[in-house]
Amino acid sequence: MDGPEQRRAAQAGHRGVREGHRRQDQHRGDPRPLRVERPDQARLGRQAGPDVLAAHGQHAAVHPAAAEPNLLQLDNEDWVAKLGKTEKGLGQVDGHRYAAIVTSPAVLGIYYNKDVFKKAGITTMPKNYDDLLATAGKIKSKTGVAPFFEVGGDKWPLQWQVQVQMTDLPQSFWDKLNKNKDSWTNKTIVDAIIKYKTKVLDGGLAQKNYKTATFVDQGKAIMDGSAAMALNVTSLQSQIQATSSTAEMDKKLGWFPIANSAAQAEYSPDQTNGVVAFKTGDTKRQNAARQFLSFWLGNDYPDYIKANKLVSVQPSVPNPDGLPQTAIAQAEALSSAGGVFQVKALTAPDMHLALADMLYGKKTPQQVAQAAQDQFEQVLKARGVSGF
């Protein structure tokens, strides 16, 4: 995510923490101070800093150099064992938990318009990326509708077509990359960018205004059927929910997972998923923070997700009624989902910005990959990471 979308996620995470604390006060009838700040406004000094903070549930955001000296370890909290399989893997650094996972991470997959798929005669969902491109070609030839809706105006969703093609990269690649022994210019990544450019953009599988279209436009197009598919994360679902009822969404939209060689989803943590608690030097404040998280992810959790219509991160707590079918499908796909590169890399380069340059002929696919590598090296060198 980028710019306004990142800020919206941060603000949503902050509201979630505030609401959780309000619910705790109501529950015990004894309001107690707990210092809560937005991620973009937080001060990390021991006295001036917050007690709790909404944060990404991923190691790239919970930075190793900052975690141990600043954050409380949450390894033995009573809610840890309740988390789902994927959620248990989030919020950890060097084998220790520093973030509580309170909402399900965003899930990457294909939103599709049911009527367009029906008109194209598509009854079986694609099983891999090449199959997806073949389906897109069939949609175009059978219906004339734009198979994909791409978002060059807001830029950040441009990365997803490349990311799903990177899902066959083994863990050994990421291990080497994070030690500066491999590169974002790896042939698999360059080939993925080339394929996106030649097959989707230049190949006529995106709508005509893909260079300038916005995230809001994407939601409208997938609902009204002027585009057949949108490859995006859960934030697109949230955007559509803001203007459409669950019944409308269930009637018009479907969702399926996709990866390069499998029908598998990817997950992408954002600033609504995790909450960290700080070492403040004040035992009472630190204990209050722990008690707050225990309440939020304990007795209050079923009511919290019901009130906010959220997917549960605890298998023992069922999803609330009234969720759109796209949300349920994503929840079911999460347990076998792999992480996007924001999860696997020590820092996530802004590949979408370089891809936007590619849309306007300012960069080649090779230069997009090199831009990602240059930023990756620059950031990790500045952090003092070994090998950079």
Side-chain angles (χ1 to χ4, degrees):
M1 293 188 294
D2 181 48
E5 190 61 24
Q6 279 188 325
R7 287 192 291 273
R8 282 194 289 269
Q11 290 163 4
H14 174 71
R15 288 193 298 270
V17 178
R18 283 286 189 190
E19 180 182 347
H21 186 226
R22 177 184 60 78
R23 295 170 68 88
Q24 184 187 34
D25 284 344
Q26 289 178 339
H27 174 75
R28 64 191 174 198
D30 177 23
R32 301 174 193 177
L34 191 71
R35 197 171 291 174
V36 180
E37 292 186 8
R38 277 171 38 185
D40 56 342
Q41 298 174 341
R43 302 176 300 278
L44 301 186
R46 287 180 177 244
Q47 295 304 316
D51 293 312
V52 293
L53 181 77
H56 284 67
Q58 65 190 62
H59 67 76
V62 183
H63 185 250
E68 199 283 327
N70 292 307
L71 303 179
L72 294 179
Q73 285 189 10
L74 304 173
D75 297 337
N76 300 315
E77 302 304 304
D78 54 5
W79 44 263
V80 173
K82 300 176 183 178
L83 294 173
K85 176 184 175 182
T86 298
E87 290 87 353
K88 280 182 179 177
L90 302 176
Q92 298 191 50
V93 174
D94 295 335
H96 292 289
R97 174 168 299 284
Y98 292 97
I101 306 303
V102 296
T103 64
S104 181
V107 181
L108 177 62
I110 293 285
Y111 297 84
Y112 69 93
N113 184 281
K114 292 179 178 179
D115 287 341
V116 176
F117 265 49
K118 184 177 181 180
K119 289 176 183 176
I122 297 167
T123 56
T124 302
M125 299 302 110
K127 302 300 183 184
N128 54 58
Y129 191 73
D130 284 339
D131 197 9
L132 178 67
L133 294 182
T135 298
K138 184 177 180 180
I139 289 169
K140 184 177 180 181
S141 64
K142 294 282 188 179
T143 69
V145 173
F148 293 112
F149 194 99
E150 295 298 295
V151 184
D154 284 328
K155 301 178 183 179
W156 65 266
L158 295 173
Q159 65 185 293
W160 302 132
Q161 292 271 2
V162 176
Q163 288 239 35
V164 295
Q165 296 181 70
M166 293 171 58
T167 49
D168 287 338
L169 284 167
Q171 183 58 44
S172 59
F173 165 78
W174 299 104
D175 292 341
K176 291 178 182 177
L177 180 76
N178 290 333
K179 295 177 182 177
N180 205 19
K181 295 181 179 179
D182 212 319
S183 170
W184 291 89
T185 59
N186 182 286
K187 185 177 184 298
T188 296
I189 299 175
V190 174
D191 286 350
I193 300 169
I194 292 172
K195 197 170 193 176
Y196 176 41
K197 182 179 188 298
T198 58
K199 298 291 187 180
V200 177
L201 302 177
D202 297 347
L205 296 182
Q207 85 284 5
K208 291 182 180 180
N209 71 336
Y210 67 81
K211 293 181 181 179
T212 58
T214 68
F215 176 58
V216 173
D217 294 336
Q218 188 179 52
K220 292 177 180 177
I222 203 69
M223 282 293 285
D224 67 24
S226 56
M229 295 183 285
L231 177 56
N232 214 327
V233 289
T234 307
S235 54
L236 178 61
Q237 175 181 276
S238 301
Q239 172 65 34
I240 297 170
Q241 282 178 291
T243 57
S244 304
S245 68
T246 295
E248 289 173 324
M249 291 179 68
D250 288 349
K251 180 180 179 181
K252 295 181 179 181
L253 294 185
W255 184 92
F256 59 85
I258 199 72
N260 192 55
S261 59
Q264 180 178 316
E266 294 73 48
Y267 67 88
S268 175
D270 63 34
Q271 285 170 316
T272 66
N273 304 143
V275 177
V276 296
F278 283 85
K279 292 180 178 178
T280 61
D282 184 326
T283 301
K284 289 184 178 179
R285 285 173 62 185
Q286 291 179 176
N287 287 341
R290 291 184 188 276
Q291 290 166 9
F292 164 58
L293 294 176
S294 180
F295 168 77
W296 192 359
L297 288 166
N299 293 338
D300 187 58
Y301 195 66
D303 291 335
Y304 172 73
I305 61 173
K306 181 179 180 181
N308 291 277
K309 296 183 179 179
L310 297 171
V311 170
S312 175
V313 298
Q314 300 179 2
S316 62
V317 178
N319 293 322
D321 294 334
L323 295 179
Q325 290 299 314
T326 52
I328 295 171
Q330 289 171 39
E332 291 174 348
L334 185 58
S335 63
S336 61
V340 295
F341 67 55
Q342 283 84 350
V343 175
K344 297 179 179 180
L346 283 180
T347 189
D350 297 321
M351 182 183 284
H352 57 280
L353 299 180
L355 287 169
D357 285 343
M358 185 184 75
L359 263 58
Y360 285 93
K362 296 179 180 179
K363 281 185 172 65
T364 65
Q366 291 79 6
Q367 289 171 330
V368 170
Q370 187 62 55
Q373 177 62 23
D374 291 346
Q375 185 186 13
F376 185 73
E377 289 183 9
Q378 181 181 17
V379 171
L380 294 182
K381 184 177 181 180
R383 288 182 182 175
V385 175
S386 177
F388 293 88

